Amino acid sequence: MTAARTNKAQLYAYFGDKDRLFDAIFLSSLERITNVAPIDADDLADWAVRLYDEYLRRPDLIRLATWTRLERRPTGHLVETHQHYDDRKLTAITEAQAAGRVRAGDPFDIMAMVIAMSMAWSPVSNVYAASSQEPDEAHDQRRALLRDCVRRATAADGADGHPPRETATQG
């Protein structure tokens, strides 16, 4: 509030109440991460690494999303206006699938999986939450592992250096 040169009463008068203020901050954080780390469906592994880096720079963004999930929307989409944030990503994944660059599967599930993998060391991790104060070598190792795992998980059949996945044959 000091940086904004205002007080709590003025903020609530402008936004209406603390719930609307929270919503404004949270939606702004979603816009930020969408703009700072836009999807590249031709390189989902790089997208995951850029998300990882953004979570290191701005752990508050993940904390806001976690609070929203815990307190406001425990199931389903994180926000009502999810299409605004997801449509471009889903279209990009669908196009990459059609071109044979991304594995078959529900584009939403692929997007969700890549985002979840990018959060492996984020403030929501149940195992370990990384910080920007850790040695660069630790982050470089995580980035390399994340990049390789996402690349393998999202590669089109046979494109990851492994034989094509078994598929059911119609008979």
Side-chain angles (χ1 to χ4, degrees), residues 87-155:
D87 280 355
R88 184 184 166 316
K89 296 172 195 151
L90 298 177
T91 298
I93 292 169
T94 300
E95 289 171 358
Q97 287 173 316
R101 295 186 304 266
V102 172
R103 70 173 296 144
D106 184 305
F108 183 85
D109 290 342
I110 291 172
M111 177 190 73
M113 181 186 65
V114 172
I115 291 170
M117 292 171 79
S118 74
M119 297 169 105
W121 299 276
S122 77
V124 298
S125 173
N126 290 329
V127 180
Y128 185 83
S131 80
S132 60
Q133 285 72 47
E134 292 176 295
D136 289 341
E137 298 80 31
H139 294 299
D140 290 343
Q141 288 175 349
R142 291 179 192 133
R143 287 180 189 107
L145 178 61
L146 178 61
R147 184 174 278 113
D148 183 56
C149 289
V150 170
R151 181 186 56 78
R152 289 172 182 254
T154 62

Side-chain angles (χ1 to χ4, degrees), residues 51-127:
L51 289 171
Y52 168 87
D53 287 337
E54 188 61 13
Y55 305 149
L56 283 176
R57 277 189 292 279
R58 296 290 308 274
D60 57 305
L61 302 178
I62 295 300
R63 289 185 189 109
L64 287 169
T66 303
W67 181 258
T68 300
R69 177 57 75 203
L70 290 171
E71 293 294 324
R72 294 167 162 226
R73 296 186 69 92
T75 61
H77 291 283
L78 189 59
V79 294
E80 280 185 41
T81 57
H82 62 92
Q83 297 93 341
H84 173 75
Y85 303 99
D86 295 347
D87 280 355
R88 184 184 166 316
K89 296 172 195 151
L90 298 177
T91 298
I93 292 169
T94 300
E95 289 171 358
Q97 287 173 316
R101 295 186 304 266
V102 172
R103 70 173 296 144
D106 184 305
F108 183 85
D109 290 342
I110 291 172
M111 177 190 73
M113 181 186 65
V114 172
I115 291 170
M117 292 171 79
S118 74
M119 297 169 105
W121 299 276
S122 77
V124 298
S125 173
N126 290 329
V127 180

